[in-house]
Amino acid sequence: MTLVTCYNKGCGKQFDLNENNQDACQYHPGTPVFHDALKGWSCCNKKSTDFTQFLSIPGCTRSFHSNVKPVEPEKPKNNIPEIKEQEVFVYESRKAPELTPRPSQDEPLIDLKRTIAPSLKAMLEKMTETNQNESSNDLSTNHIPVDTPCKNASCQARYRDESSNLEKCVHHPGAAVFHEGMKFWSCCQRKTSDFDNFLNQIGCTEGSHLWIKETKSDGEKVECRHDFHQTGGFAILTVYSKNPLPYKTSIRANRIKLEIDIVFECGSKSFIKNFDLFGVINLDESLVNFYQSKVEIKMKKADPISWSKLEYVPKKD
């Protein structure tokens, strides 16, 4: 006699296939239900909180034993999509930009390009007109020696008599600039590498002759409030100085050094200061803007980095 196991739920007894009948098996045709700590069968209302008692609950239905193992229900598929190889993104840390090597401080200084605000230009023209009227009155009382050369740059005229004052003076009002082998005037930017050609350049402005050059009277040297900020690719130094005089102000720089001598308050005051710059600047794209209340020095950075401060402090050994 061969015994087999009944796979009906709640039965699990051994039986002989030849002695199997309709009332031989007592089982649960439903499914187990677990809810709120209660355990029971969906086919009857018998429930228990104890798992052992749950397993001992007698079946509620009678029928034939079954030696067929029930099919296991399929497990729900994992809905997480497989990551394809081409969808894998690899993020690399951003490389720091290569910085321009810090050049020597001994590079030659050049005058930065400049612009003058219309309001300041109108004030300067009015002041110049007043000074010319005063100078014309002084000219009649001062004796100018014959053959005195005009002091304006590039003008070749010499004083003969009073008629010389009526001549037009063709000259360069700007400053001479020598940079990387090139020579030019800051007022017209006609560049040449030959020194004789530079000296013979015809002036770019017409005006009156200057026979007697006024002795420069240095204004009172004072401190000015100044601040530094950054915008875009520029490092900007603002010096708060009322009514600056562009033609008496000197703002010169090389790639890591800035020297300023701002004359303001109609020439009665001056602010002088030198800066060793935190980073390297591009001289060709740097600019000085003159306003009635301030001078703005806009320095183009050579590298796309943020300056933590305006001035460079060398590391101590």
Side-chain angles (χ1 to χ4, degrees):
M1 180 177 68
T2 302
L3 299 178
V4 294
T5 301
C6 177
Y7 287 103
N8 287 335
K9 297 173 185 177
C11 178
K13 294 180 179 180
Q14 300 284 321
F15 72 96
D16 184 357
L17 289 174
N18 297 321
E19 296 180 359
N20 193 10
N21 57 61
Q22 190 171 359
D23 295 327
C25 180
Q26 186 178 1
Y27 70 102
H28 293 288
T31 57
V33 177
F34 303 93
H35 180 66
D36 289 343
L38 292 175
K39 305 160 188 66
W41 296 93
S42 61
C43 50
C44 57
N45 292 324
K46 297 176 182 178
K47 294 180 176 60
S48 174
T49 58
D50 183 76
F51 189 74
T52 303
Q53 290 181 358
F54 159 73
L55 294 177
S56 301
I57 295 176
C60 58
T61 302
R62 286 191 173 274
S63 184
F64 293 96
H65 286 298
S66 174
N67 64 339
V68 180
K69 193 172 183 178
V71 179
E72 293 287 338
E74 291 186 6
K75 294 182 179 180
K77 293 183 179 180
N78 194 342
N79 293 326
I80 300 176
E82 293 183 3
I83 299 177
K84 298 179 181 179
E85 186 175 352
Q86 61 268 27
E87 294 178 349
V88 176
F89 298 95
V90 178
Y91 293 93
E92 296 182 357
S93 59
R94 186 176 179 180
K95 295 181 179 178
E98 293 185 4
L99 302 182
T100 303
R102 191 170 183 85
S104 169
Q105 281 190 336
D106 299 328
E107 287 189 351
L109 300 167
I110 68 168
D111 290 290
L112 298 180
K113 291 181 287 187
R114 54 185 63 191
T115 64
I116 304 174
S119 58
L120 177 61
K121 190 176 293 186
M123 189 276 293
L124 294 174
E125 290 175 353
K126 185 177 180 181
M127 187 178 73
T128 302
E129 183 180 350
T130 302
N131 292 340
Q132 285 179 346
N133 291 335
E134 293 175 355
S135 298
S136 62
N137 293 333
D138 295 339
L139 190 61
S140 60
T141 59
N142 292 335
H143 176 67
I144 303 173
V146 175
D147 208 33
T148 297
C150 177
K151 302 301 187 294
N152 287 331
S154 295
C155 180
Q156 305 298 324
R158 291 179 176 273
Y159 182 79
R160 299 185 308 275
D161 51 36
E162 290 187 3
S163 64
S164 299
N165 295 326
L166 303 178
E167 297 174 354
K168 288 183 178 179
C169 176
V170 181
H171 64 284
H172 291 289
V177 179
F178 302 91
H179 179 59
E180 294 182 353
M182 304 302 292
K183 304 157 185 71
F184 58 95
W185 295 94
S186 61
C187 48
C188 57
Q189 302 281 320
R190 292 189 302 216
K191 300 181 179 181
T192 179
S193 59
D194 185 79
F195 189 70
D196 290 333
N197 289 341
F198 166 72
L199 293 178
N200 293 326
Q201 281 186 5
I202 299 174
C204 60
T205 302
E206 291 185 353
S208 301
H209 289 301
L210 180 63
W211 306 117
I212 300 175
K213 195 168 186 178
E214 295 180 4
T215 303
K216 184 179 178 182
S217 56
D218 294 333
E220 178 189 0
K221 293 180 175 59
V222 297
E223 290 294 322
C224 283
R225 181 170 69 89
H226 55 280
D227 60 32
F228 157 71
H229 69 280
Q230 305 172 72
T231 176
F234 290 90
I236 301 173
L237 172 65
T238 303
V239 181
Y240 297 94
S241 49
K242 188 176 181 182
N243 294 331
L245 302 182
Y247 59 90
K248 288 189 176 182
T249 291
S250 171
I251 299 180
R252 308 171 68 220
N254 61 28
R255 290 189 293 165
I256 58 171
K257 190 174 183 180
L258 175 68
E259 293 185 357
I260 63 176
D261 182 356
I262 300 175
V263 180
F264 62 105
E265 291 285 9
C266 299
S268 64
K269 297 179 181 179
S270 66
F271 171 64
I272 302 174
K273 190 171 178 64
N274 299 337
F275 298 90
D276 291 330
L277 301 175
F278 179 84
V280 182
I281 65 172
N282 184 327
L283 295 172
D284 292 333
E285 297 184 47
S286 298
L287 182 68
V288 181
N289 298 314
F290 288 86
Y291 302 95
Q292 273 196 284
S293 60
K294 63 184 179 181
V295 176
E296 183 183 81
I297 305 169
K298 196 173 181 181
M299 296 167 285
K300 176 65 177 178
K301 299 178 186 176
D303 300 305
I305 60 171
S306 176
W307 291 13
S308 59
K309 49 188 173 295
L310 175 63
E311 296 189 75
Y312 171 76
V313 179
K315 294 180 179 179
K316 296 181 180 180
D317 296 333

